[in-house]
């Protein structure tokens, strides 16, 4: 394997602190920072990938050969059934896999909030759960529906985690609630897992916090696949477009208070995840009820 290719991947889960963890790692002097955080190359459907060829993917890591750790964070790798095998084929079974998991109740609801904010979800949360399978199949592919609207199954982690444990020799599972409570201790363990200097102090930062778009039409232009965006991708450097999108998105943000689920709704949702949480606890050898109280 080329000595500039990734030797670690953060594969998910979505809405579980992956961006904060990746940013903390990229500030470490022994970690290479690629100009794309979430290339999505190992997702077989192109609409989830910002990088579509092996040559493009390798180019992200040019110049990384002098760094002890080099990686990327694409959260859909965890949910996609084919991603582990594709990763293994290109990067080998020794590549280090980082997985961070959040209480599935909070993860599923936060994923819905994210899509609602991006104007991609028209229904309230529980209505969306009921109507997921009745979405217009002509508007978007069935696989896309599964990725974007399957708020419950995205948060059922057992099978997703098992696929990585079965295929890779080095898999580290982090629990989001434990990470934010003990950030420096947890980050030290991550550094030791990656073989880099663990004597680094970090601060907890909130990423992707709640906001609403100031101008909805601008938000739609940023998040929907439009013909003009496809043209721009062909004529402008990818890193320039990523930076431009980020700047426009930040200017269009209006911070807001995130609405939370009440206790009755949380209990209702807990029944959907109870069996999966029990199986996952056995798989990773950690009693997740300690961190996720609804499952006691």
């Amino acid at each position: 394997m080329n000595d500039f290719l990734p030797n670690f991947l953060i594969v998910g889960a979505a809405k579980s602190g992956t961006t904060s963890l990746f940013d903390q790692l990229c500030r470490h002097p022994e970690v290479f920072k690629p100009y794309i955080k979430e290339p999505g190359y190992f997702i077989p459907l192109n609409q989830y990938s910002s990088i579509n060829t092996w040559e493009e993917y390798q180019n992200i890591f040019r110049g990384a050969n002098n760094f002890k750790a080099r990686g990327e964070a694409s959260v859909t790798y965890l949910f996609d059934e084919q991603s582990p095998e594709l990763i293994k084929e290109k990067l080998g079974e020794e590549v280090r896999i980082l997985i961070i998991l959040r209480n599935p109740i909070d993860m599923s609801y936060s994923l819905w909030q994210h899509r609602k904010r991006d104007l991609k979800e028209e229904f309230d949360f529980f209505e969306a759960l009921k109507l997921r399978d009745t979405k217009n199949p002509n508007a978007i592919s069935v696989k896309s529906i599964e990725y974007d609207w399957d708020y419950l199954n995205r948060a059922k982690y057992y099978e997703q985690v098992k696929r990585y444990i079965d295929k890779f020799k080095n898999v580290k599972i982090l629990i989001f609630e434990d990470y934010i409570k003990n950030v420096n201790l947890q980050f030290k363990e991550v550094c030791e897992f990656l073989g880099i200097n663990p004597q680094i102090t970090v601060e907890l930062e909130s990423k992707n916090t709640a906001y609403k778009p100031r101008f909805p039409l601008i938000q739609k232009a940023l998040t929907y696949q439009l013909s003009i965006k496809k043209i721009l991708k062909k004529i402008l450097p990818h890193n320039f477009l990523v930076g431009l999108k980020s700047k426009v998105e930040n200017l269009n943000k209006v911070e807001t208070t995130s609405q939370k689920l009440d206790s009755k709704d949380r209990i209702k949702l807990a029944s959907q995840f109870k069996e999966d949480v029990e199986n996952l606890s056995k798989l990773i050898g950690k009693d997740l009820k300690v961190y996720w109280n609804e499952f006691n």
Side-chain angles (χ1 to χ4, degrees), residues 171-213:
V171 179
K172 184 169 181 61
I173 312 294
L174 301 169
I175 306 303
F176 171 79
E177 290 77 9
D178 192 25
Y179 192 87
I180 61 175
K181 184 179 179 181
N182 305 288
V183 61
N184 276 293
L185 176 61
Q186 293 282 299
F187 188 74
K188 178 181 179 181
E189 291 183 5
V190 169
C191 290
E192 290 172 346
F193 175 70
L194 298 179
I196 55 179
N197 180 12
Q199 304 304 319
I200 299 290
T201 300
V202 295
E203 294 182 3
L204 188 65
E205 297 181 25
S206 295
K207 298 288 183 178
N208 298 322
T209 52
Y211 70 86
K212 61 181 180 180

Side-chain angles (χ1 to χ4, degrees), residues 23-228:
D23 285 352
Q24 288 166 347
L25 282 171
C26 287
R27 287 194 289 271
H28 193 294
E30 296 176 327
V31 177
F32 176 78
K33 181 178 181 179
Y35 66 84
I36 299 176
K37 172 242 175 188
E38 193 166 5
Y41 172 73
F42 297 108
I43 304 166
L45 290 177
N46 287 343
Q47 61 260 47
Y48 302 108
S49 309
S50 57
I51 296 295
N52 298 317
T53 70
W54 180 235
E55 290 72 23
E56 289 176 324
Y57 188 73
Q58 291 180 92
N59 283 335
I60 298 173
F61 299 97
R62 297 291 179 187
N65 52 304
N66 292 322
F67 291 81
K68 286 186 177 180
R70 48 202 181 269
E72 51 114 332
S74 297
V75 297
T76 318
Y77 289 164
L78 184 62
F79 186 65
D80 189 278
E81 294 180 10
Q82 298 178 63
S83 290
E85 185 59 38
L86 295 173
I87 293 168
K88 185 177 178 181
E89 286 177 7
K90 292 292 189 181
L91 302 181
E93 62 181 8
E94 300 284 348
V95 65
R96 287 172 168 78
I97 302 294
L98 281 164
I99 300 173
I100 182 165
L101 304 174
R102 183 182 183 183
N103 186 322
I105 296 169
D106 296 314
M107 183 274 189
S108 59
Y109 187 64
S110 182
L111 186 60
W112 168 82
Q113 286 182 313
H114 181 92
R115 286 180 48 76
K116 191 80 170 177
R117 177 197 73 195
D118 283 348
L119 308 179
K120 289 185 174 182
E121 177 59 72
E122 57 190 298
F123 298 106
D124 290 336
F125 180 60
F126 285 100
E127 187 179 7
L129 297 185
K130 293 178 182 178
L131 296 175
R132 181 182 68 84
D133 293 328
T134 66
K135 298 280 188 178
N136 181 2
N138 296 317
I140 195 166
S141 73
V142 173
K143 191 70 174 179
S144 247
I145 291 173
E146 189 175 38
Y147 274 74
D148 292 336
W149 296 328
D150 202 346
Y151 306 120
L152 289 181
N153 284 330
R154 284 287 292 271
K156 290 181 178 178
Y157 304 127
Y158 171 73
E159 291 292 345
Q160 302 177 56
V161 172
K162 188 175 185 300
R163 287 195 288 267
Y164 280 89
I165 289 177
D166 288 346
K167 287 190 180 297
F168 297 95
K169 293 183 177 181
N170 304 299
V171 179
K172 184 169 181 61
I173 312 294
L174 301 169
I175 306 303
F176 171 79
E177 290 77 9
D178 192 25
Y179 192 87
I180 61 175
K181 184 179 179 181
N182 305 288
V183 61
N184 276 293
L185 176 61
Q186 293 282 299
F187 188 74
K188 178 181 179 181
E189 291 183 5
V190 169
C191 290
E192 290 172 346
F193 175 70
L194 298 179
I196 55 179
N197 180 12
Q199 304 304 319
I200 299 290
T201 300
V202 295
E203 294 182 3
L204 188 65
E205 297 181 25
S206 295
K207 298 288 183 178
N208 298 322
T209 52
Y211 70 86
K212 61 181 180 180
R214 190 187 310 270
F215 302 107
L217 286 177
I218 292 178
Q219 187 65 28
K220 284 186 177 181
L222 292 171
T223 58
Y224 280 74
Q225 291 295 326
L226 304 177
S227 297
I228 185 65

